Amino acid sequence: MSKKKSYCCEMMKTNTSFNCDLHVDKYDCPDTLIDHNIESSYFSIIIHDGGTSGIEINFCPWCGSKL
Ligand SMILES: [Zn+2]
Ligand SMILES: [Zn+2]
């Protein structure tokens, strides 16, 4: 069993990981597209409306893999 979550593709990995010098929260950062909830292990597309809303997705928007 691996603790490290593997991503289906590089796009998913890049857009899920948050490293931005300008924003403290990923929901504030327009460059961060996907939120990965570790506890529930679901992925959601962040809606940048100033809040913390997102649309849960079951498939990767880039490669189409089931998440
Ligand atoms: Zn993918
Ligand atoms: Zn940012």
Side-chain angles (χ1 to χ4, degrees), residues 17-32 35 46 48 50-52:
S17 55
F18 173 65
N19 54 52
C20 180
D21 296 333
L22 301 174
H23 305 96
V24 277
D25 192 293
K26 72 162 90 177
Y27 283 91
D28 292 330
C29 180
D31 294 331
T32 307
D35 183 31
I46 296 172
H48 290 289
T52 56

Side-chain angles (χ1 to χ4, degrees), residues 7-42:
Y7 294 95
C8 52
C9 60
E10 277 302 307
M11 282 299 283
M12 188 52 124
K13 189 180 175 187
T14 306
N15 288 288
T16 304
S17 55
F18 173 65
N19 54 52
C20 180
D21 296 333
L22 301 174
H23 305 96
V24 277
D25 192 293
K26 72 162 90 177
Y27 283 91
D28 292 330
C29 180
D31 294 331
T32 307
L33 299 177
I34 306 290
D35 183 31
H36 178 214
N37 188 309
I38 307 292
E39 282 111 70
S40 58
S41 83
Y42 67 70

